[in-house]
Amino acid sequence: MPTKNYYQIITGAKWIIIIVIVFIGALYLQESSTPQAFKTHSSEALQRWMIKFSIAKAETPKRIPNAIFYNQDGKSISLTKYQGKEIMIVVWATWCGPCREEMPYLNTIMPELALQGIELLPISVDTGGAADIKKFYNSLDIERLPILFDSGIDLLEALEIGPIPTIIIVNDKGYELGRRIGKVPGFN
């Protein structure tokens, strides 16, 4: 017949097993609830651009909404079209002083970004649409940047844009990794 100590040892061992199982379960739940954006690293190139533009990583990356904008022909484009690609969204306007300074620089780095597999989307929020952007590009000899715009407030609301310029970095899984609001340091 087992002794009292034997029952105490068995009871203690059961509690240890239960605690270990609960701990392992908690670790599993934490891992499974981690957004895919955390599990998917951005490319080294995208990380370098985030550092260069002083863009802090988002504490909790969130999926980019299915925002709509337009190209120079007025054709609608959805951000979901870029799923599977790393993108840098720059929300700007022709009347914005810091934007006027940054757009020529973006024009010069466009080929470098493309070589690194990063799609640059400079989306203007000018109400005049493509005509205003084309005039602006011509005045600053900007030849490489696409003419993209949203002359309403749909894009601003969908991306939760306040002040401009705003740069948003998105990984290939469609998660916003970070954003910078305002002028990038170092532009004169």
Side-chain angles (χ1 to χ4, degrees):
M1 175 170 238
T3 66
K4 185 176 177 182
N5 277 345
Y6 174 78
Y7 288 116
Q8 288 175 335
I9 291 171
I10 295 297
T11 303
K14 286 180 185 176
W15 280 111
I16 290 172
I17 291 170
I18 290 171
I19 290 170
V20 167
I21 290 171
V22 168
F23 180 74
I24 290 171
L27 286 176
Y28 174 77
L29 286 175
Q30 181 182 5
E31 173 63 21
S32 65
S33 67
T34 302
Q36 187 65 30
F38 282 131
K39 297 176 186 175
T40 305
H41 299 290
S42 56
S43 70
E44 287 183 31
L46 197 60
Q47 291 174 26
R48 283 193 305 273
W49 286 106
M50 287 180 71
I51 291 167
K52 185 170 186 145
F53 289 152
S54 301
I55 299 172
K57 281 189 173 185
E59 286 185 29
T60 306
K62 60 182 177 181
R63 185 167 288 286
I64 286 291
N66 185 16
I68 303 292
F69 56 98
Y70 302 89
N71 69 10
Q72 67 183 7
D73 300 324
K75 181 181 174 190
S76 66
I77 303 169
S78 169
L79 282 177
T80 58
K81 171 188 175 190
Y82 298 93
Q83 185 77 23
K85 297 179 181 179
E86 293 180 320
I87 58 175
M88 181 184 299
I89 302 168
V90 179
V91 181
W92 68 285
T94 59
W95 46 262
C96 162
C99 302
R100 293 184 65 83
E101 296 173 17
E102 293 176 8
M103 295 309 286
Y105 177 69
L106 293 174
N107 185 58
T108 62
I109 66 168
M110 178 86 171
E112 185 179 352
L113 289 168
L115 284 173
Q116 295 170 356
I118 301 168
E119 188 92 29
L120 176 61
L121 303 176
I123 305 172
S124 169
V125 291
D126 283 284
T127 56
D132 284 356
I133 300 164
K134 187 171 183 130
K135 184 178 172 184
F136 174 82
Y137 280 5
N138 287 338
S139 73
L140 295 174
D141 294 323
I142 294 174
E143 302 168 345
R144 296 180 181 111
L145 298 179
I147 294 176
L148 305 172
F149 66 95
D150 179 32
S151 53
I153 61 168
D154 296 339
L155 181 85
L156 293 173
E157 287 179 346
L159 295 177
E160 299 174 9
I161 302 291
I164 58 171
T166 297
I167 298 174
I168 302 173
I169 302 295
V170 181
N171 73 2
D172 60 350
K173 301 293 184 193
Y175 283 86
E176 178 181 330
L177 299 181
R179 71 172 55 199
R180 171 154 191 90
I181 299 168
K183 185 177 177 182
V184 173
F187 285 146
N188 296 329

